[in-house]
Amino acid sequence: MREFDFELALCAHLEAERPDWLHARQLGASVEGRRIIDIACIEPGPEFETRTRLSPDRLPLLAVESDVGTGRACYWKDAFDCHPDSARAAMQRAVEAGFFERERRGGRTYVRQTTRYPDWFGRIVGVENKPDLGRPGDLQTQLRTDVALGLFDEVVLATESYVTGAHLNRIPDAVGVWRFDPDDGEREVVREPTPLAPDDAGVEVLERGAARTDVAIATAAQKVRARRRLAERAYGKGWRTYAFPSCERASAGECAGAEGLPYCAWKDRFVDAASECGDDCPGHDPAAPSTFDVEVERARRTPWEPEASGFAREQSGLDRFR
Ligand code: SF4
């Protein structure tokens, strides 16, 4: 479980090093596969500030990719190329996010964008955490998958282990390597990553079995879409997606200036309440969980704006349309 502790400490340190970037944990990082990346670090793009003024949540991709524009409002059903139920849900979420505004004409709902979808993110760095290289698990397969697909601009392996030449030989050449000590926050760059090619088509490993491996070509357009989906999820989610243990021994801990991490005095580290805490833990002593507000902390430490309400000139009264 040291992985969880390692991951939170690394997020706190990366956020302190690059407070203008966006950091998020445990995100889908594939086109059709099931790859989950431990940490995504997202460089702000030229219109990042516009994104912060839209919703604090992720925007629905179907709405972003619909034919709804900023000019004339269009009949919502004509603007989506998907099942009407999905289209309606995306349309409503986009209105609630202040990304669409709507009007009624002749008993029909018409929508338009309140602002063009901003060019808000730049490079995306994927970080795979493997604190103990002595227990690599699927590491090689995961990193090979990331390099072949090229969804990220760069991929890095972060570890607490001493990195030997033999380790480096087993890791794809393009993958950078950081050695990170979660206790003192020291991060050593053992090897710089080689930039990948997110604008080109890639090869995605869908299933790797003993006898055969299923792969698929991911087109450049599919990768653009997958990157946007990942970036939106990262924007909505961030990395403080943990619960506080209902335990006397837990408190809101601090790391690299970030407050409100789920610290356990009994284990002397951050703990994942969902998988580590409860009656099964010998140190468990029931108590109310911390009421620390992680969203307030995220707003304090990053440009993410929790009160953003979009650009709608007049917030649509949702009840009028239900
Ligand atoms: S339940 Fe166990 S791991 Fe969780 S906070 Fe309490 S002592 Fe720590």
Side-chain angles (χ1 to χ4, degrees), residues 113-127:
Q113 289 180 344
T114 57
T115 183
R116 190 174 45 79
Y117 182 72
D119 177 13
W120 70 266
F121 61 90
R123 284 181 302 147
I124 307 179
V125 179
V127 181

Side-chain angles (χ1 to χ4, degrees), residues 245-251 263-267 271-273 276-279 281-285:
S246 304
C247 179
E248 192 66 52
R249 288 174 159 138
S251 59
Y263 176 73
C264 167
W266 190 67
K267 290 196 172 177
V271 288
D272 180 12
E276 297 183 72
C277 301
D279 294 341
C281 171
H284 185 229
D285 184 0

